[in-house]
Amino acid sequence: MATTTNPVEHNEFQHHFVVIHPLDDAPEAKVDTESLGPMPMTRSVRISLLSLRAYLVLMMLLVLYHMLDLAKLLG
């Protein structure tokens, strides 16, 4: 038996959303990252990451130098 809906009633529920709390929701399947392996990188990405690493090492050395200078350990 087919049910017919009133167009007025249908429009009332068209923008109706049901909010479900995450603790009450069904658990979702998690992504298995064990089988992914290393991500391929292009040359530009590799250069960018290496330059970022060099920049961070340089900044750490400058902070270390500044701390030693403030402690009057450099002379």
Side-chain angles (χ1 to χ4, degrees), residues 11-73:
N11 286 337
E12 288 178 10
F13 294 110
Q14 187 173 1
H15 299 291
H16 180 74
F17 298 102
V18 177
V19 178
I20 298 174
H21 192 275
L23 294 177
D24 297 330
D25 198 11
E28 61 185 27
K30 302 297 180 192
V31 176
D32 181 26
T33 58
E34 295 294 326
S35 61
L36 290 180
M39 180 184 289
M41 291 189 287
T42 62
R43 180 178 291 135
S44 62
V45 170
R46 187 175 305 274
I47 291 171
S48 298
L49 289 175
L50 287 175
S51 63
L52 177 63
R53 183 182 296 176
Y55 172 77
L56 291 174
V57 167
L58 178 66
M59 289 298 117
M60 288 189 295
L61 289 174
L62 287 174
V63 168
L64 179 65
Y65 174 77
H66 186 64
M67 287 173 49
L68 293 175
D69 189 38
L70 288 175
K72 307 285 188 215
L73 296 175

